Amino acid sequence: MHAPGTMAARPALARNTPATAAVVLGTLGLFASFAVIGALFGAVGLVTGTIALRASGRTGTGRGRALVGLLLSLAAIAVSVLAAAFIAWYANHTQECYRPDNLHQYVECVRHNLSGH
């Protein structure tokens, strides 16, 4: 029993800050994937998520967040790779269109090259 007016000491909640950081980095990476720089956030998120997953084994906290961070980071890397591949493909198929006199000419050139005519 505790003396009146005193509170029992609560155990400090263990935190897994790297798990939260992995989720944030994975989310940022996924949003930035279409600009291809999402792979950088994703790579850092993978490292942070791995550290968080190991920490969750010791502390018992943050495992779910660490896994979500890892999955978001992997998705960010995958989408970045797909975006880079699409940009390279598009540039390859429309390279002769990059010296137009106006936007209408560029649009017609791209339409012509992508339709295969």
Side-chain angles (χ1 to χ4, degrees):
M1 189 131 197
H2 302 289
T6 62
M7 294 181 62
R10 291 184 178 177
L13 291 176
R15 294 192 178 167
N16 191 336
T17 305
T20 303
V23 171
V24 170
L25 287 165
T27 302
L28 285 172
L30 201 53
F31 282 114
S33 293
F34 300 101
V36 184
I37 62 167
L40 297 174
F41 288 114
V44 176
L46 277 179
V47 171
T48 308
T50 302
I51 292 168
L53 200 55
R54 288 183 182 158
S56 73
R58 291 189 309 274
T59 64
T61 61
R63 180 173 171 78
R65 282 178 289 142
L67 289 173
V68 168
L70 284 170
L71 290 174
L72 286 169
S73 296
L74 285 171
I77 292 169
V79 172
S80 290
V81 168
L82 290 173
F86 173 75
I87 290 168
W89 174 85
Y90 181 84
N92 186 46
H93 283 81
T94 60
Q95 63 188 352
E96 69 183 44
C97 301
Y98 295 137
R99 295 188 196 153
D101 293 333
N102 59 44
L103 181 61
H104 179 72
Q105 183 183 4
Y106 172 77
V107 170
E108 288 302 316
C109 180
V110 168
R111 190 173 290 145
H112 174 72
N113 284 328
L114 294 182
S115 69
H117 294 117

